[in-house]
Amino acid sequence: MLKIAVLGTGRIGRMHVDNIVAHPKAKLAGVFDVNNAVAQEVAGNHHAKQFSSVEDVLNASEVDAVLIATSTATHADLIEQAVAAKKAIFCEKPIDLSLDRVKSCEQKIKGTNIPIMLGFVRRFDKGHRAVRTSIEAGAIGDLHQVIITSRDPDMAPDAYIEVSGGIFRDMTIHDFDMARFILGENITEVSATGSRLVNNALMERCNDYDTVTIVLKTASGKQCIINNSRRAVYGYDQRVEAFGSKGMAISENHPMNNMRLYAENFTDQKPALMNFFIDRYGEAFNNEISSFVDAVEQGKNPEVGFEDGKQALMLAEAASRSILEKRIIRLDEI
Amino acid sequence: MLKIAVLGTGRIGRMHVDNIVAHPKAKLAGVFDVNNAVAQEVAGNHHAKQFSSVEDVLNASEVDAVLIATSTATHADLIEQAVAAKKAIFCEKPIDLSLDRVKSCEQKIKGTNIPIMLGFVRRFDKGHRAVRTSIEAGAIGDLHQVIITSRDPDMAPDAYIEVSGGIFRDMTIHDFDMARFILGENITEVSATGSRLVNNALMERCNDYDTVTIVLKTASGKQCIINNSRRAVYGYDQRVEAFGSKGMAISENHPMNNMRLYAENFTDQKPALMNFFIDRYGEAFNNEISSFVDAVEQGKNPEVGFEDGKQALMLAEAASRSILEKRIIRLDEI
Amino acid sequence: MLKIAVLGTGRIGRMHVDNIVAHPKAKLAGVFDVNNAVAQEVAGNHHAKQFSSVEDVLNASEVDAVLIATSTATHADLIEQAVAAKKAIFCEKPIDLSLDRVKSCEQKIKGTNIPIMLGFVRRFDKGHRAVRTSIEAGAIGDLHQVIITSRDPDMAPDAYIEVSGGIFRDMTIHDFDMARFILGENITEVSATGSRLVNNALMERCNDYDTVTIVLKTASGKQCIINNSRRAVYGYDQRVEAFGSKGMAISENHPMNNMRLYAENFTDQKPALMNFFIDRYGEAFNNEISSFVDAVEQGKNPEVGFEDGKQALMLAEAASRSILEKRIIRLDEI
Amino acid sequence: MLKIAVLGTGRIGRMHVDNIVAHPKAKLAGVFDVNNAVAQEVAGNHHAKQFSSVEDVLNASEVDAVLIATSTATHADLIEQAVAAKKAIFCEKPIDLSLDRVKSCEQKIKGTNIPIMLGFVRRFDKGHRAVRTSIEAGAIGDLHQVIITSRDPDMAPDAYIEVSGGIFRDMTIHDFDMARFILGENITEVSATGSRLVNNALMERCNDYDTVTIVLKTASGKQCIINNSRRAVYGYDQRVEAFGSKGMAISENHPMNNMRLYAENFTDQKPALMNFFIDRYGEAFNNEISSFVDAVEQGKNPEVGFEDGKQALMLAEAASRSILEKRIIRLDEI
């Protein structure tokens, strides 16, 4: 039984709490949130301890691991503190919006053997993972092209967009990690294009984009196309396609239900796609916790770690620069 | 080059004419129709001979084969005459509505080695045929159940229904043949249920049904379910499913086009299914002529012959009787 | 909070326990099983009370409702006792294998206003339910035909088959209920055909069938076809199709994952379908508990009750008799 | 009846001959090919005239229109000659490999009112066209992104690759036109990436690429991604996706047949996709001729003309330059 304390009991934190409680090999060691009332309610629902501070959590001998689901700005600090306290760490992405801060954190925790897992949950989706597994098994031969389509069902609230660090850091970050997961090879070149088609006013104000295309290339010439939109009215569009010398593997979208209607002159499916990540990746969030628990208990490296968080952020930086300079950016320029 | 004369230049006859003209190994030897004007037009379009009578056709030395696409009541007579004239025969289904007439025709032509092919076109559909091929290749192991869904896009005209011989003879006849094609084993038992749900008044007047379910069984216990409706508003519903000890093969419906729309809260495809047999089975009609040409030229038995026409009609008789007597009918009672 | 005690902590009982524990409006009041060790373990896992007898459960004032997941032979007795103790009841299907026992139970509890819900879980599947909802919304017009395909991924153990009461009572019972759910009208006629194609020896020994087709008909002429097999090697085949005057609704199968592979000369999906009911109907089991909790708390009739259990059993009886007598059985003969 | 002479009776020319012969409103006025034997055979098969020279064709008063299906290098000359001879023109793409030659041709024929149609056949595919129609009907709102996936089933012969002008001119040219068709707005920026992953040696020798990604952008910020491979082992991969503010329309691939197999642990479809353009776009080739005939007979502009051919070539030039200069190319630089 891995005893995990959850830091941050917002929407994502509460979902992790539920998964930990239901997990046969994990136990909820307690929760903490700066919002006392929210933490109290979550603790109460699960007969779990409510810690009064992060320090309390990190000093508690009954805590084996911390799950960091607090606001982004606190992630790097909490990672450093938890490493110092020798607690295993599961941290929601991103490590930080600033690559410099990520690098300073990296320096500080260098040499530690504390397991640190980053919450790139999509790696744990059955379909996406089956694409990776197919590639490893040779089912599509040598990989040539990857196409990642990733569109949110709707714009996040303005207040979130304003501080999110831009689409490459708040949204594409997941796709950059997926690209790395599927490509299995270092990316050397990045080019990007951005448009303001969904909410021009907001995007101009934030100097951000709502519709982007990113093209990545590896040293051996493998290509990866990522396309994002901040609003797909038909639901949460999440597809991964890998094309190679011997075939293609596609992880398709998830419809809301499997009922199809055939009527006069048309057929339809209604509602369309699953709406958002807590549903669409619900099973993946579970698998992710299992993977973390297994890694810690068996002393293995977590499947996705600090370096992955850093690399994804570097790709985001490169994409931002590509838009500004209207040229391909080599990753070694970052 | 097989020189084929077409008897009957209604809708089906004209389609066969087009396929013969376009066929690399066939030649249109001429046409005949009791409606002189129609025949003249078809002949004119293709610079082909218009024969003045059936006798002319059968006496013409340049005619190798006849394609009989005249009205049902003339089929058996024309088969007998063509056999006497030693012309290879392609005859549209059914041979006749009366099993007695089919049997007398059978007696008359007994012992002939003239090739006679029956126009059960669905056997030549790529998808349905792939089901049969899969079974023969062992892909689904021993066959256990077959489900044939067959629904017309709309009611035929009243005038047709009134003389068609009833749903089992005008519509299910194709499915009885498909059942035999897929089962590959003699059917021993038939039970049927009929309802009047589409056009009750017409069905009562004709003592017919518009919605039927038929269950067939072979000596070894294989089961086949056929379900028919005279009107499916979403198009021509034509599916064949074969289930066995090692798997299942399904020949799915054909959409009108492959464009799918994902909109707010639904996805659709529009228009729905292909509408009727000349489109849906267009390629199969071509394959059918090829099969006939090959059989005649290579001296092989046609893939579907007189006996198949007779057997399908016997199943129709059994189904009719099952509805009357509310019990399973053994085929040896027919 | 509805406080539910679970009687029987075998595989199904434990799954219900998990769902109750996770449910926001339910609470696990405790468990009982004749196998003391199993019950102890389940109770321990959830810090729940282990009752020492059924009487203890029924006498406990903190128990609002009982969930009966014990062996079939005990269901009717437990229903009677729980009604006497005024506990709301959720009972796994079937009520009993004997229609006489069901009727005597019915007499005994007649007039009670205790909510009794039967565990026909498939009614709570999103896709199947969407078919029903489409019909109610008029999306397919008047209902004409229903086709229920229901095949288990593999034979149950011999020991289970030997005492199960036969395929109509152990397997088709779910489909009989689904037929009633979708048809929304009383069934008046039943005909059935059975074969021994999967395991002839076992089926002969048990006087049972492994491959069956059942045709149901309502007073207004609506038809329903059920086809079952005890073994579909490609997974748990669960489809419901409703065809009507204005269209068709199909609840399709659930693949294991949404990854599809396109290779040289073929495309595939691997693994195939979800394997069995705890996965395939996992979400439905959850919805079912919600429905029960809501019904009890809001004083509504459960969505599926004692009468539904009795009707499904009557259809099973009629199907058995139809095979013996090789004729259509009117439900009023049962 | 539009009387069309076909220049060039290679594979494509012969296919057009068949379509013209079968077309109710067109007539084959004759054929010409520098390979006398091939032309003779085609003429013989269709009882059509074999012209002895291009001049003969253009001087023939019974010829209303010419269909140019000769080698690429002759297209511009033949267009100029046919315009001079006042014959309506259908010309296979591309006009020429050299943009300069296209521009000089444009100058020469400027001011003519002779209809000139370019053979961008994919515009006439039912599915792709339905995407365009959906956009025009407002079904997906404002267009934001287009994704065109276009992969040949196999490498063309080396001899073809060596003189084809490179992947952007021999293959992507179709996709550039499709992009323009779907976007419905001028493209202003082009960026491209190329790799040599299928046949590195050949590609190096020809200074060409076998795997490319092109990103196009319009003035209003609409984005279009094209991805190409010279070899997709699973068949001819041809998909068009349009994403907008109110939804998405996808023109999906065409399987070889609609039979699907469900076996132990997998489902498959075999063979996979249609193999090449004569099959995949067979119906589109027919529609294309119809469109040409209608345009000429009704005095309308052809649906796709000289300017479209020129624009597609400009996009190819821009893509080539983008690879060389590793930056976005503005179309006004070309």
Side-chain angles (χ1 to χ4, degrees):
Chain A
M1 280 297 198
L2 186 73
K3 284 159 291 196
I4 308 173
V6 173
L7 308 180
T9 52
R11 186 165 57 152
I12 292 258
R14 285 199 300 272
M15 185 203 56
H16 284 305
V17 162
D18 289 344
N19 287 339
I20 289 167
V21 166
H23 198 286
K25 294 195 268 178
K27 198 178 168 325
L28 181 65
V31 298
F32 169 75
D33 196 290
V34 291
N35 182 325
N36 185 60
V38 167
Q40 192 170 355
E41 188 196 338
V42 174
N45 285 345
H46 295 283
H47 313 292
K49 177 169 184 177
Q50 183 190 1
F51 288 98
S52 55
S53 69
V54 168
E55 289 65 37
D56 271 10
V57 174
L58 296 177
N59 289 331
S61 61
E62 78 270 23
V63 171
D64 300 325
V66 292
L67 187 153
I68 303 171
T70 51
S71 59
T72 296
T74 65
H75 289 184
D77 287 353
L78 290 173
I79 288 174
E80 290 170 2
Q81 291 176 254
V83 165
K86 298 197 184 307
K87 304 297 187 194
I89 300 165
F90 177 104
C91 183
E92 269 304 322
K93 59 96 238 175
I95 301 171
D96 198 275
L97 295 180
S98 149
L99 185 55
D100 284 343
R101 180 65 188 92
V102 172
K103 286 178 174 172
S104 71
C105 180
E106 186 183 27
Q107 284 308 311
K108 205 146 188 179
I109 65 175
K110 202 163 60 178
T112 182
N113 60 357
I114 298 293
I116 306 180
M117 179 154 164
L118 254 285
F120 283 125
V121 65
R122 296 183 196 172
R123 290 196 184 210
F124 300 92
D125 177 71
K126 266 194 314 197
H128 300 345
R129 180 157 287 228
V131 172
R132 178 74 204 137
T133 308
S134 294
I135 295 168
E136 285 166 352
I140 66 164
D142 296 327
L143 183 62
H144 291 179
Q145 282 185 321
V146 176
I147 303 179
I148 299 171
T149 297
S150 171
R151 298 165 181 153
D152 278 0
D154 208 347
M155 293 285 279
D158 287 18
Y160 173 81
I161 300 279
E162 283 158 3
V163 301
S164 75
I167 190 168
F168 296 133
R169 278 168 194 74
D170 78 43
M171 206 177 141
T172 326
I173 194 89
H174 276 295
D175 307 304
F176 286 132
D177 185 63
M178 183 52 60
R180 295 184 65 250
F181 179 56
I182 300 292
L183 286 167
E185 183 185 327
N186 282 336
I187 291 157
T188 53
E189 293 182 358
V190 178
S191 68
T193 308
S195 304
R196 291 161 182 159
L197 301 171
V198 179
N199 186 336
N200 183 56
L202 177 64
M203 290 300 118
E204 283 207 340
R205 178 151 56 84
C206 301
N207 195 24
D208 196 2
Y209 302 93
D210 48 40
T211 306
V212 295
T213 296
I214 305 102
V215 179
L216 310 173
K217 204 170 169 182
T218 69
S220 72
K222 291 179 178 60
Q223 301 170 0
C224 175
I225 302 161
I226 297 171
N227 70 83
N228 291 150
S229 170
R230 287 192 179 280
R231 190 175 68 204
V233 298
Y234 51 86
Y236 192 30
D237 192 346
Q238 294 285 300
R239 288 171 281 164
V240 175
E241 171 179 331
F243 171 77
S245 60
K246 292 189 180 162
M248 172 172 65
I250 303 186
S251 175
E252 300 277 9
N253 271 315
H254 289 209
M256 284 281 267
N257 71 47
N258 279 16
M259 200 278 278
R260 192 153 182 198
L261 184 72
Y262 296 74
E264 190 163 9
N265 209 23
F266 69 95
T267 69
D268 80 7
Q269 200 153 2
K270 190 179 175 179
L273 302 185
M274 285 190 152
N275 204 264
F276 214 16
F277 64 93
I278 294 209
D279 287 327
R280 170 63 178 83
Y281 288 116
E283 191 180 3
F285 278 112
N286 254 310
N287 297 341
E288 184 184 49
I289 291 295
S290 279
S291 172
F292 176 61
V293 170
D294 287 351
V296 176
E297 300 234 312
Q298 298 163 26
K300 298 181 304 185
N301 281 329
E303 291 189 67
V304 47
F306 192 93
E307 177 66 14
D308 297 302
K310 179 181 149 200
Q311 290 289 334
L313 198 62
M314 287 173 69
L315 291 167
E317 292 256 328
S320 298
R321 202 187 294 180
S322 175
I323 286 193
L324 287 176
E325 305 183 10
K326 285 183 171 282
R327 64 173 182 93
I328 293 172
I329 304 297
R330 295 193 322 279
L331 205 63
D332 60 20
E333 299 178 56
I334 302 299
Chain B
M1 282 295 198
L2 188 72
K3 284 158 289 190
I4 308 173
V6 173
L7 308 181
T9 52
R11 187 165 57 154
I12 293 256
R14 284 198 302 273
M15 186 204 56
H16 284 304
V17 162
D18 289 344
N19 288 340
I20 290 167
V21 166
H23 198 285
K25 294 197 266 177
K27 198 176 167 329
L28 182 65
V31 299
F32 170 74
D33 197 290
V34 291
N35 183 326
N36 185 59
V38 167
Q40 194 171 353
E41 189 197 336
V42 174
N45 285 346
H46 295 283
H47 313 291
K49 178 168 184 179
Q50 182 189 3
F51 288 98
S52 56
S53 69
V54 168
E55 288 66 38
D56 271 10
V57 174
L58 296 177
N59 289 331
S61 60
E62 76 270 22
V63 171
D64 299 325
V66 292
L67 186 152
I68 303 171
T70 51
S71 60
T72 296
T74 66
H75 288 184
D77 288 352
L78 290 174
I79 288 173
E80 292 169 2
Q81 292 174 253
V83 164
K86 298 196 183 308
K87 305 296 186 191
I89 299 165
F90 177 104
C91 184
E92 270 304 324
K93 58 98 239 174
I95 302 172
D96 198 274
L97 295 180
S98 148
L99 185 55
D100 284 344
R101 180 65 188 94
V102 171
K103 286 177 175 171
S104 72
C105 180
E106 185 183 29
Q107 285 308 310
K108 206 144 186 182
I109 64 173
K110 202 163 59 178
T112 184
N113 59 357
I114 299 293
I116 305 180
M117 178 154 164
L118 254 284
F120 283 126
V121 66
R122 296 184 195 171
R123 289 196 183 209
F124 300 93
D125 178 71
K126 267 194 314 197
H128 300 346
R129 181 157 285 228
V131 172
R132 178 71 204 141
T133 307
S134 294
I135 295 168
E136 285 166 352
I140 65 164
D142 297 328
L143 183 62
H144 291 178
Q145 281 185 323
V146 176
I147 303 179
I148 298 171
T149 297
S150 171
R151 297 165 183 155
D152 279 358
D154 207 347
M155 293 284 278
D158 286 19
Y160 174 82
I161 300 278
E162 282 158 3
V163 300
S164 75
I167 189 166
F168 296 132
R169 279 167 194 76
D170 78 44
M171 205 177 142
T172 325
I173 194 91
H174 276 294
D175 306 305
F176 287 132
D177 184 64
M178 183 54 60
R180 294 184 65 250
F181 179 56
I182 300 293
L183 286 167
E185 183 185 329
N186 282 335
I187 292 158
T188 52
E189 291 182 359
V190 178
S191 68
T193 309
S195 304
R196 292 161 181 158
L197 301 171
V198 180
N199 185 335
N200 183 56
L202 177 64
M203 291 301 119
E204 284 208 339
R205 179 151 54 84
C206 301
N207 196 25
D208 197 3
Y209 302 93
D210 49 41
T211 306
V212 296
T213 297
I214 306 102
V215 179
L216 310 173
K217 202 171 171 182
T218 69
S220 72
K222 294 178 175 59
Q223 301 169 0
C224 174
I225 302 161
I226 297 170
N227 70 83
N228 292 150
S229 170
R230 289 192 179 277
R231 191 174 70 203
V233 298
Y234 51 86
Y236 192 29
D237 193 345
Q238 292 285 300
R239 288 172 280 163
V240 174
E241 170 179 332
F243 170 77
S245 60
K246 292 190 179 161
M248 171 171 64
I250 303 186
S251 175
E252 300 277 10
N253 271 316
H254 289 209
M256 283 281 267
N257 71 49
N258 279 18
M259 201 278 279
R260 194 156 180 195
L261 184 72
Y262 296 74
E264 190 162 11
N265 209 25
F266 69 96
T267 69
D268 80 9
Q269 199 153 1
K270 191 180 174 177
L273 302 185
M274 284 190 154
N275 203 264
F276 212 17
F277 62 95
I278 294 210
D279 287 327
R280 170 63 178 82
Y281 287 116
E283 191 182 3
F285 278 112
N286 253 308
N287 298 340
E288 184 185 49
I289 291 295
S290 279
S291 173
F292 176 60
V293 171
D294 287 351
V296 176
E297 300 235 313
Q298 298 163 25
K300 299 181 303 187
N301 281 329
E303 291 189 69
V304 47
F306 192 94
E307 178 67 15
D308 297 302
K310 180 182 148 197
Q311 291 289 332
L313 197 61
M314 288 173 69
L315 293 167
E317 292 257 329
S320 299
R321 201 187 294 179
S322 175
I323 286 194
L324 287 176
E325 304 183 11
K326 286 184 170 279
R327 63 172 182 94
I328 293 172
I329 303 297
R330 294 190 324 277
L331 204 62
D332 60 19
E333 299 179 58
I334 301 300
Chain C
M1 283 296 199
L2 186 73
K3 283 160 292 202
I4 308 172
V6 173
L7 308 180
T9 52
R11 185 164 59 152
I12 293 257
R14 285 198 301 272
M15 185 203 56
H16 284 303
V17 162
D18 289 343
N19 287 339
I20 290 167
V21 166
H23 198 284
K25 295 196 267 178
K27 198 177 169 325
L28 181 64
V31 299
F32 169 76
D33 197 289
V34 290
N35 182 327
N36 186 57
V38 167
Q40 192 170 354
E41 189 197 335
V42 173
N45 286 345
H46 296 283
H47 313 291
K49 177 168 184 178
Q50 183 190 1
F51 288 98
S52 56
S53 69
V54 167
E55 289 66 37
D56 271 11
V57 174
L58 296 177
N59 289 332
S61 61
E62 77 271 23
V63 171
D64 299 324
V66 291
L67 187 151
I68 302 171
T70 51
S71 59
T72 296
T74 65
H75 289 183
D77 287 353
L78 290 173
I79 288 173
E80 291 169 3
Q81 290 176 256
V83 164
K86 298 196 186 306
K87 305 296 187 193
I89 299 164
F90 177 103
C91 183
E92 269 306 322
K93 59 98 234 171
I95 303 171
D96 198 275
L97 295 180
S98 149
L99 186 55
D100 284 345
R101 180 65 187 93
V102 171
K103 286 177 174 172
S104 72
C105 180
E106 185 183 28
Q107 284 308 310
K108 206 143 186 181
I109 66 175
K110 202 163 58 177
T112 183
N113 59 358
I114 298 293
I116 305 180
M117 178 153 164
L118 253 285
F120 283 126
V121 66
R122 297 185 194 170
R123 289 195 183 211
F124 299 93
D125 177 71
K126 267 195 313 197
H128 300 345
R129 180 156 287 227
V131 172
R132 178 75 204 137
T133 308
S134 295
I135 296 168
E136 285 166 352
I140 66 164
D142 297 327
L143 183 62
H144 292 179
Q145 281 185 322
V146 176
I147 302 179
I148 299 171
T149 297
S150 170
R151 298 164 182 155
D152 278 0
D154 208 346
M155 295 283 279
D158 287 19
Y160 174 82
I161 300 279
E162 282 158 4
V163 301
S164 75
I167 189 167
F168 296 132
R169 280 169 193 75
D170 77 44
M171 206 178 141
T172 324
I173 194 90
H174 276 295
D175 307 304
F176 286 131
D177 185 63
M178 182 53 59
R180 295 184 65 250
F181 179 56
I182 300 292
L183 286 167
E185 182 185 326
N186 282 335
I187 291 158
T188 53
E189 291 181 359
V190 178
S191 68
T193 308
S195 305
R196 291 161 182 158
L197 301 171
V198 179
N199 185 336
N200 183 57
L202 177 64
M203 291 301 120
E204 283 209 339
R205 179 151 55 84
C206 301
N207 196 23
D208 196 3
Y209 302 93
D210 49 43
T211 305
V212 296
T213 296
I214 305 101
V215 179
L216 311 173
K217 204 170 169 182
T218 70
S220 72
K222 291 179 179 59
Q223 300 169 0
C224 174
I225 302 161
I226 297 170
N227 70 83
N228 293 151
S229 170
R230 288 193 179 279
R231 190 175 70 202
V233 297
Y234 51 87
Y236 192 30
D237 192 345
Q238 292 285 300
R239 288 170 282 164
V240 174
E241 170 178 332
F243 171 78
S245 60
K246 292 190 178 161
M248 171 171 66
I250 302 186
S251 174
E252 300 278 9
N253 270 317
H254 288 209
M256 283 281 267
N257 71 48
N258 279 16
M259 201 278 278
R260 193 154 181 199
L261 184 72
Y262 296 73
E264 188 162 11
N265 209 23
F266 69 95
T267 69
D268 80 7
Q269 200 152 3
K270 191 178 173 179
L273 303 184
M274 285 188 153
N275 204 263
F276 213 16
F277 63 93
I278 294 210
D279 287 328
R280 170 62 179 84
Y281 288 115
E283 190 181 5
F285 278 113
N286 253 309
N287 297 341
E288 183 185 51
I289 291 295
S290 280
S291 172
F292 176 62
V293 170
D294 286 351
V296 176
E297 300 235 312
Q298 298 163 25
K300 298 181 305 187
N301 280 330
E303 291 189 66
V304 46
F306 191 93
E307 177 67 14
D308 297 301
K310 179 182 150 199
Q311 290 288 334
L313 198 62
M314 287 172 69
L315 292 167
E317 292 256 329
S320 297
R321 201 186 293 181
S322 174
I323 285 193
L324 286 177
E325 304 183 11
K326 286 183 169 281
R327 64 173 181 96
I328 293 171
I329 303 297
R330 296 191 323 278
L331 205 63
D332 61 18
E333 298 179 57
I334 302 299
Chain D
M1 282 295 199
L2 187 72
K3 285 160 291 203
I4 308 173
V6 173
L7 308 180
T9 52
R11 186 165 57 155
I12 293 258
R14 284 199 302 272
M15 185 203 57
H16 284 305
V17 163
D18 289 345
N19 288 340
I20 290 167
V21 166
H23 198 285
K25 293 196 267 177
K27 197 176 166 330
L28 181 64
V31 299
F32 169 75
D33 197 290
V34 291
N35 183 326
N36 185 59
V38 168
Q40 194 171 352
E41 189 197 336
V42 174
N45 285 346
H46 295 285
H47 312 292
K49 179 168 183 178
Q50 183 190 1
F51 288 98
S52 55
S53 68
V54 168
E55 289 65 37
D56 271 10
V57 174
L58 297 177
N59 289 330
S61 60
E62 76 270 23
V63 170
D64 300 325
V66 292
L67 187 152
I68 302 171
T70 51
S71 59
T72 296
T74 65
H75 289 183
D77 288 352
L78 290 173
I79 288 174
E80 291 169 3
Q81 290 174 254
V83 164
K86 299 198 184 306
K87 305 297 187 193
I89 299 164
F90 177 103
C91 184
E92 270 305 322
K93 59 98 235 173
I95 301 172
D96 198 275
L97 295 180
S98 150
L99 186 55
D100 285 343
R101 181 66 187 93
V102 171
K103 286 178 176 170
S104 71
C105 180
E106 185 183 28
Q107 285 308 311
K108 205 143 186 182
I109 64 174
K110 200 163 61 178
T112 184
N113 59 357
I114 299 294
I116 304 180
M117 178 153 165
L118 254 284
F120 284 126
V121 66
R122 296 184 195 171
R123 289 195 183 211
F124 300 92
D125 177 72
K126 268 194 314 197
H128 301 346
R129 181 156 285 228
V131 171
R132 178 72 204 140
T133 308
S134 295
I135 296 168
E136 285 166 353
I140 66 164
D142 297 326
L143 184 62
H144 290 179
Q145 280 184 324
V146 176
I147 302 178
I148 298 171
T149 297
S150 171
R151 298 166 183 153
D152 278 359
D154 207 345
M155 294 283 279
D158 286 19
Y160 174 82
I161 301 278
E162 282 158 4
V163 300
S164 76
I167 190 168
F168 296 133
R169 279 167 194 78
D170 79 42
M171 206 177 139
T172 325
I173 194 89
H174 276 296
D175 306 305
F176 287 131
D177 184 64
M178 183 53 59
R180 295 184 65 250
F181 179 57
I182 300 293
L183 286 168
E185 182 184 329
N186 282 335
I187 291 158
T188 53
E189 292 182 359
V190 178
S191 68
T193 309
S195 304
R196 292 163 181 155
L197 301 170
V198 180
N199 185 336
N200 183 55
L202 177 64
M203 292 299 119
E204 284 208 338
R205 179 150 56 85
C206 300
N207 195 24
D208 196 3
Y209 301 93
D210 50 41
T211 305
V212 296
T213 296
I214 305 102
V215 179
L216 310 174
K217 203 171 170 182
T218 70
S220 72
K222 292 179 177 59
Q223 301 168 0
C224 175
I225 302 161
I226 297 170
N227 70 82
N228 292 149
S229 170
R230 288 193 179 279
R231 191 174 69 204
V233 298
Y234 51 86
Y236 192 29
D237 193 345
Q238 293 285 300
R239 288 171 281 163
V240 174
E241 171 178 331
F243 171 77
S245 60
K246 291 190 179 160
M248 171 171 65
I250 302 186
S251 175
E252 300 277 9
N253 270 317
H254 289 209
M256 283 281 267
N257 71 47
N258 279 17
M259 200 277 279
R260 194 156 180 196
L261 184 72
Y262 297 73
E264 189 161 13
N265 210 24
F266 69 97
T267 69
D268 80 9
Q269 200 152 1
K270 191 179 173 179
L273 302 184
M274 284 190 154
N275 203 263
F276 212 18
F277 62 94
I278 295 212
D279 287 327
R280 170 63 178 83
Y281 288 116
E283 191 181 4
F285 278 113
N286 254 309
N287 297 341
E288 185 184 49
I289 292 294
S290 279
S291 173
F292 176 62
V293 171
D294 287 352
V296 177
E297 301 234 312
Q298 298 164 25
K300 298 181 304 186
N301 282 328
E303 291 189 67
V304 48
F306 192 94
E307 178 67 16
D308 296 302
K310 180 182 149 198
Q311 290 289 335
L313 198 62
M314 288 173 69
L315 293 167
E317 292 257 329
S320 298
R321 202 186 293 180
S322 174
I323 286 193
L324 287 176
E325 305 183 11
K326 284 183 170 281
R327 65 174 181 92
I328 292 172
I329 304 297
R330 296 191 322 279
L331 205 62
D332 59 20
E333 299 178 57
I334 301 299

